């Protein structure tokens, strides 16, 4: 048995497809971290509130618990999406529902252009979200649909929040469409803006007092 050269190690299918592997740095297979690309990962950015954990874990939860976590999530999604859209046109952004340590609160953002992802990575690194330092990395995930857990998105997943495939938190289509529209209203120079802005103007969402954490979103140190 000889030693296997680093470059000959087999790619870890989890890292390659999902951008996260439970074995982390101790994995026997290679985690080839990309140094460029159009998708970035902001690990553990979503601050899981107890209501969100209950829903993700499939614990007992009632409608009110669900509504509270959903409102918190949509508010977070809108703010982070519009902040990241300052660096370029976003194709899609997902927040994970998984509760395992190596996937908890992960946010993946896919830009249309590699350059924009690079800009985001460069300018968002070393900022603070609340009291936490934001770390950003390029992610090998090319297609969120390929990375997600089929069972979770079709019915329910028996592994619950500990599943190793992406459980993507649900953002209703109408909410997402409205946020995308806000991106184009703020950046009418983006490629998709003209088509997107041809219809109705974005609905103003009800004004909510911003949480102290949210108002400190992505502060520079
Ligand atoms: Zn691995
Ligand atoms: Zn699953």
């Amino acid at each position: 048995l000889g030693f296997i050269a680093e470059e000959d190690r087999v790619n870890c299918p989890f890292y390659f497809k999902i951008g996260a592997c439970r074995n982390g740095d101790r994995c026997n297979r290679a985690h080839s971290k990309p140094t460029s690309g159009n998708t970035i990962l902001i690990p553990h950015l979503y601050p899981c509130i107890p209501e969100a954990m209950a829903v993700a874990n499939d614990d007992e939860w009632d409608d009110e618990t669900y509504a509270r976590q959903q409102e918190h999530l949509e508010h977070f999604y809108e703010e982070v999406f519009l902040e990241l859209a300052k660096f370029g046109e976003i194709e899609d952004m997902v927040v994970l529902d998984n509760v395992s340590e190596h996937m908890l609160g992960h946010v993946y953002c896919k830009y249309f252009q590699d350059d924009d992802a690079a800009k985001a990575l460069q300018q968002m690194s070393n900022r603070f979200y609340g009291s936490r330092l934001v770390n950003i990395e390029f992610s090998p995930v090319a297609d969120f649909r390929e990375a997600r857990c089929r069972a979770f998105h079709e019915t329910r997943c028996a592994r619950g929040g500990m599943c190793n495939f992406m459980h993507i938190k649900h953002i209703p289509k109408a909410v997402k469409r409205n946020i995308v529209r806000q991106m184009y209203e703020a950046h009418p120079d983006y490629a998709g803006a003209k088509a997107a802005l041809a219809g109705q103007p974005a609905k103003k969402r009800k004004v909510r007092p911003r949480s102290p954490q949210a108002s400190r979103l992505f502060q520079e140190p």
Side-chain angles (χ1 to χ4, degrees):
L1 265 166
F3 288 101
I4 300 170
E6 172 72 24
E7 60 271 24
D8 291 337
R9 280 197 304 171
V10 180
N11 260 319
C12 169
F14 281 97
Y15 183 74
F16 184 71
K17 204 167 151 184
I18 296 133
C21 160
R22 70 191 165 98
N23 299 319
D25 294 337
R26 298 184 314 278
C27 189
N28 291 327
R29 303 190 182 183
H31 291 186
S32 311
K33 297 204 171 186
T35 52
S36 65
N38 64 343
T39 303
I40 54 167
L41 162 65
I42 313 178
H44 314 299
L45 185 68
Y46 180 66
C48 271
I49 55 170
E51 287 89 340
M53 289 298 273
V55 172
N57 274 326
D58 241 343
D59 293 342
E60 293 279 311
W61 49 267
D62 51 22
D63 290 350
E64 203 185 310
T65 303
Y66 187 83
R68 259 205 308 273
Q69 71 88 30
Q70 194 60 30
E71 183 177 346
H72 179 261
L73 168 67
E74 288 173 19
H75 184 60
F76 168 89
Y77 190 90
E78 177 176 332
E79 258 189 333
V80 172
F81 191 103
L82 295 175
E83 186 67 31
L84 293 175
K86 290 176 182 169
F87 305 107
E89 189 175 4
I90 293 174
E91 187 180 324
D92 200 6
M93 184 184 111
V94 297
V95 181
L96 296 197
D97 203 39
N98 305 66
V99 296
S100 52
E101 216 179 293
H102 72 288
M103 295 173 90
L104 182 70
H106 280 11
V107 173
Y108 294 77
C109 182
K110 184 178 181 186
Y111 289 92
F112 282 103
Q113 307 290 336
D114 289 10
D115 285 356
D116 294 337
K119 231 187 294 169
L121 187 116
Q122 201 175 44
Q123 295 191 35
M124 294 295 292
S125 290
N126 295 320
R127 290 212 214 170
F128 281 90
Y129 180 76
S131 57
R132 275 178 307 135
L133 193 60
V134 174
N135 283 310
I136 306 193
E137 57 191 63
F138 286 113
S139 175
V141 176
D143 186 341
F144 298 140
R145 263 169 315 182
E146 284 288 310
R148 49 179 209 182
C149 167
R150 193 165 295 168
F152 177 77
H153 290 279
E154 280 171 5
T155 48
R156 68 190 310 210
C157 170
R159 289 170 296 231
M162 294 306 282
C163 181
N164 286 320
F165 294 92
M166 275 189 186
H167 287 191
I168 297 172
K169 283 184 185 286
H170 178 65
I171 304 292
K173 273 207 180 87
V175 172
K176 211 167 194 175
R177 211 180 302 131
N178 189 54
I179 295 170
V180 167
R181 207 189 155 84
Q182 288 184 58
M183 165 175 78
Y184 289 130
E185 282 175 351
H187 308 279
D189 52 315
Y190 288 175
K194 212 170 160 197
L197 296 176
Q200 299 293 312
K203 276 198 208 98
K204 283 268 182 287
R205 306 194 70 196
K206 25 177 215 284
V207 181
R208 264 189 301 254
R210 305 239 142 168
S211 65
Q213 175 151 39
S215 65
R216 283 183 317 216
L217 185 70
F218 300 133
Q219 274 191 344
E220 302 198 37

